[in-house]
Amino acid sequence: CRGTTMRAQRIWKVNGDASIGHLQSRLDDLNKRLSQLESRHPDSWKVEELRSSALNLSREIDDIRCAEATAALSELLRK
């Protein structure tokens, strides 16, 4: 098909609480390291890097939760 572009789409293998739990654990670890680093070296470039990583993880968690909610709603609407 000429002129047709396909959008990239993230495909989640939704494994419920296991996926979210793992990501949440990583996010908690990042936040702990970030807090420690901010108290010792508030102007460090590493602080911004850790903040960015924490934001990315929280977005992934939100994406999974939204995918799960959408799947649950679709299932309800099918009934």
Side-chain angles (χ1 to χ4, degrees), residues 63-79:
D63 287 347
I64 292 172
R65 286 184 176 146
C66 286
E68 289 175 339
T70 300
L73 181 59
S74 294
E75 185 64 29
L76 285 174
L77 293 174
R78 254 186 274 159
K79 292 180 180 183

Side-chain angles (χ1 to χ4, degrees), residues 16-31:
D17 294 334
S19 296
I20 292 174
H22 175 72
L23 290 173
Q24 187 64 52
S25 177
R26 287 178 49 201
L27 181 58
D28 293 343
D29 291 342
L30 262 176
N31 283 328

Side-chain angles (χ1 to χ4, degrees), residues 36-61:
Q36 292 168 349
L37 188 61
E38 283 176 326
S39 65
R40 294 182 192 141
H41 309 285
D43 297 329
S44 172
W45 60 270
K46 191 73 172 167
V47 169
E48 288 305 316
E49 186 177 295
L50 287 175
R51 281 183 186 150
S52 177
S53 295
L55 283 172
N56 287 335
L57 275 175
S58 55
R59 285 185 189 114
E60 284 186 51
I61 292 168

